[in-house]
Amino acid sequence: MTNTSYKYQRKELELKALLEITQAINENQSEAVLLNIFKFTCLVHLEIKSLILYVAKEDVFEKKIAHGIKGSIPAELKSSQVIDHKETGELQLELEEGYSFAELETYLPVYHKDKMLAILFLKRKSEEHELDLDFTQAIANILVVALENKRFARKQLQQEVLNREVAIASQVQQMLFPAELPNSEELKGKVTYFPHSLVGGDYYDLIRKGKEKVYFCIADVSGKGISAALLMSNFQATLRTMLRSDADLEVIVHQLNYTLFDNTKGERFITFFLGEYDYAKKRLRFVNAGHNPPILCCEKSQKTELLQAGTTILGAFEELPFLEIGERNSLEKFIIHLYTDGLTEAMNPEDEEYGDERFFGFVEENLCVDPEEFHQKFFRKLEKFSQNVPLRDDLTLLSVRFA
């Protein structure tokens, strides 16, 4: 075969190989199919005996193809192990003991905007065969860009699926909260809720049973995101079931703790405050399970009090180590402000927290102010303090007025 006819035949094979891989890409073939076509092209059409292809994935290079290799090679290379000296055209590999690329004679890097996407190591069938490095690098570029596009598409699809899941979780979480709070002379509730993200870990509720009893609560689950929302939904379902059964506060809290511990094995916990007001007896009973103490404001005495009696956080222990039911009698015409730590942990540009003292001071200055007006004034003050610094956590403020 003359040199001219050999070159013509080779170009014909290269063109065929190029058509095969571009057709497979256009048909959206799988990554495995694309890699097999590339491997076949190298071995059959490009006079290559041995090859290894590593493709970048985050901070490592992952082995995608290895053929004709006798020695041990790593399944992946850390980016820090690959040092490419562009000015000299040399590649330095810092391999762990036992690995070697000595049997391969050359390498071809694949770049995109100065970022190395892949490395192709090669060895010819024989010294008589000449490698067309330009074409080999071109077809390697086509393959790697196609793989990168596939990876990006998968990542985008996964993100879209996650976004849909988050949106659904957010809708489910909104269903946990009361559709509306009472707004009468006898009982009025006002809530302001700012989730840190689409799905928050805070929960509040206000439930009236008959004419005499009102239950109100606030909770904050450790962690954020979908898992926190799902845990809180289970917690809410247990709480509402217990309230329908007319169980005592002590029984309710023990059962909530047991259910939470059983579900999470002590790996997640919830801070929680539950109050019960009986209009007929003018009696307030409550349990504070490691939550920020709500502030009780009495209209008659014009004094405030922190509601701290209770127990430790729920879910940390299989059995609660102690439990105290707080009780206040002969209580009427009062307001309770319940909140989560996202309120007191709000930051300003100087990295200062808003803190408990500032909030308590604001409550003292606005004793027994109508909940609607209280929230308007407070959040204007908090906005002035934070100066648009983003919240670090979910923020909930629930104010309930009893008359």
Side-chain angles (χ1 to χ4, degrees):
M1 182 183 295
T2 64
N3 190 47
T4 303
S5 59
Y6 171 76
K7 287 184 178 180
Y8 177 80
Q9 185 184 38
R10 181 161 185 170
K11 288 299 177 185
E12 193 174 28
L13 289 172
E14 288 179 353
L15 180 60
K16 183 181 178 182
L18 185 60
L19 287 172
E20 284 179 356
I21 196 163
T22 52
Q23 184 179 355
I25 291 169
N26 290 335
E27 292 174 354
N28 198 26
Q29 295 285 355
S30 67
E31 178 180 296
V33 170
L34 295 181
L35 289 169
N36 278 331
I37 291 174
F38 178 77
K39 177 181 171 182
F40 178 82
T41 297
C42 290
L43 298 176
V44 176
H45 300 324
L46 303 182
E47 307 292 351
I48 293 170
K49 178 183 179 182
S50 308
L51 76 155
I52 311 171
L53 177 66
Y54 284 95
V55 177
K57 181 182 178 182
E58 297 177 355
D59 60 344
V60 300
F61 287 88
E62 202 173 45
K63 183 179 68 178
K64 293 293 185 180
I65 300 175
H67 180 84
I69 309 300
K70 296 178 181 178
S72 297
I73 57 172
E76 61 181 30
L77 297 168
K78 294 180 182 177
S79 298
S80 57
Q81 293 177 286
V82 180
I83 304 170
D84 186 28
H85 300 284
K86 292 183 181 179
E87 62 280 0
T88 62
E90 294 180 3
L91 183 74
Q92 181 182 343
L93 297 176
E94 297 180 351
L95 299 176
E96 297 175 9
E97 190 175 349
Y99 295 126
S100 174
F101 288 85
E103 61 187 281
L104 298 160
E105 57 184 321
T106 189
Y107 82 96
L108 294 173
V110 177
Y111 283 98
H112 178 67
K113 295 181 180 179
D114 293 329
K115 180 184 177 183
M116 185 184 283
L117 296 182
I119 317 167
L120 178 63
F121 297 92
L122 305 167
K123 183 178 182 180
R124 292 174 290 176
K125 286 183 178 178
S126 70
E127 293 182 2
E128 298 174 1
H129 293 114
E130 181 182 351
L131 283 175
D132 189 340
L133 294 179
D134 290 337
F135 178 78
T136 305
Q137 187 159 40
I139 202 168
N141 272 273
I142 292 170
L143 168 73
V144 171
V145 169
L147 295 180
E148 183 73 5
N149 288 340
K150 279 184 172 293
R151 189 172 73 87
F152 177 76
R154 280 198 305 272
K155 191 173 181 180
Q156 194 172 35
L157 180 61
Q158 289 168 354
Q159 187 61 48
E160 289 172 2
V161 171
L162 178 61
N163 289 342
R164 284 198 296 270
E165 289 178 350
V166 169
I168 292 169
S170 180
Q171 292 171 2
V172 170
Q173 187 178 44
Q174 290 302 315
M175 293 169 64
L176 300 181
F177 302 131
E180 57 182 26
L181 296 176
N183 185 15
S184 66
E185 286 298 319
E186 187 183 37
L187 178 65
K188 181 173 183 178
K190 170 65 179 175
V191 69
T192 302
Y193 171 56
F194 295 121
H196 179 263
S197 57
L198 279 176
V199 183
D202 285 1
Y203 164 61
Y204 63 89
D205 217 338
L206 195 157
I207 303 164
R208 184 156 193 174
K209 293 195 66 178
K211 293 183 178 181
E212 295 183 355
K213 285 190 178 181
V214 176
Y215 292 94
F216 53 97
C217 71
I218 193 164
D220 185 0
V221 63
S222 61
K224 297 180 179 68
I226 295 175
S227 62
L230 291 174
L231 187 61
M232 195 60 85
S233 66
N234 181 268
F235 183 84
Q236 185 241 32
T238 304
L239 172 62
R240 290 205 164 193
T241 299
M242 297 294 292
L243 290 177
R244 282 195 296 269
S245 68
D246 291 323
D248 184 78
L249 286 188
E250 186 174 0
V251 174
I252 291 173
V253 174
H254 276 297
Q255 183 60 47
L256 287 171
N257 179 73
Y258 173 78
T259 301
L260 182 60
F261 185 87
D262 188 54
N263 288 338
T264 68
K265 308 306 177 189
E267 293 180 2
R268 302 291 288 270
F269 61 86
I270 290 177
T271 66
F272 176 60
F273 179 93
L274 175 62
E276 174 200 79
Y277 182 67
D278 190 317
Y279 275 97
K281 297 177 181 178
K282 296 181 181 179
R283 182 184 69 183
L284 172 68
R285 301 176 74 237
F286 63 89
V287 175
N288 188 336
H291 197 80
N292 305 82
I295 305 174
L296 170 65
C297 306
C298 293
E299 187 175 315
K300 185 177 181 180
S301 66
Q302 289 290 296
K303 291 182 179 180
T304 62
E305 178 187 359
L306 299 181
L307 302 179
Q308 297 176 307
T311 185
T312 186
I313 55 177
L314 303 183
F317 305 98
E318 187 171 7
E319 294 289 339
L320 291 173
F322 62 92
L323 176 59
E324 177 187 359
I325 305 296
E327 189 170 313
R328 301 293 180 270
N329 293 294
S330 302
L331 190 62
E332 57 183 338
K333 294 185 179 180
F334 63 97
I335 293 176
I336 295 182
H337 299 293
L338 306 93
Y339 61 98
T340 57
D341 55 14
L343 186 152
T344 54
E345 291 176 1
M347 305 287 287
N348 68 9
E350 285 72 45
D351 285 336
E352 292 179 297
E353 287 189 349
Y354 186 73
D356 295 309
E357 288 187 13
R358 284 189 178 92
F359 184 57
F360 297 160
F362 179 85
V363 173
E364 292 279 358
E365 293 169 5
N366 295 272
L367 276 175
C368 301
V369 169
D370 179 81
E372 190 78 36
E373 182 184 349
F374 182 89
H375 280 234
Q376 290 176 2
K377 291 176 68 175
F378 173 72
F379 282 101
R380 281 199 300 267
K381 192 174 187 72
L382 186 65
E383 185 178 2
K384 186 176 179 180
F385 170 82
S386 63
Q387 298 179 46
N388 297 319
V389 173
L391 292 171
R392 298 188 303 178
D393 199 355
D394 308 317
L395 186 160
T396 304
L397 174 62
L398 173 64
S399 302
V400 187
R401 185 191 67 194
F402 296 84

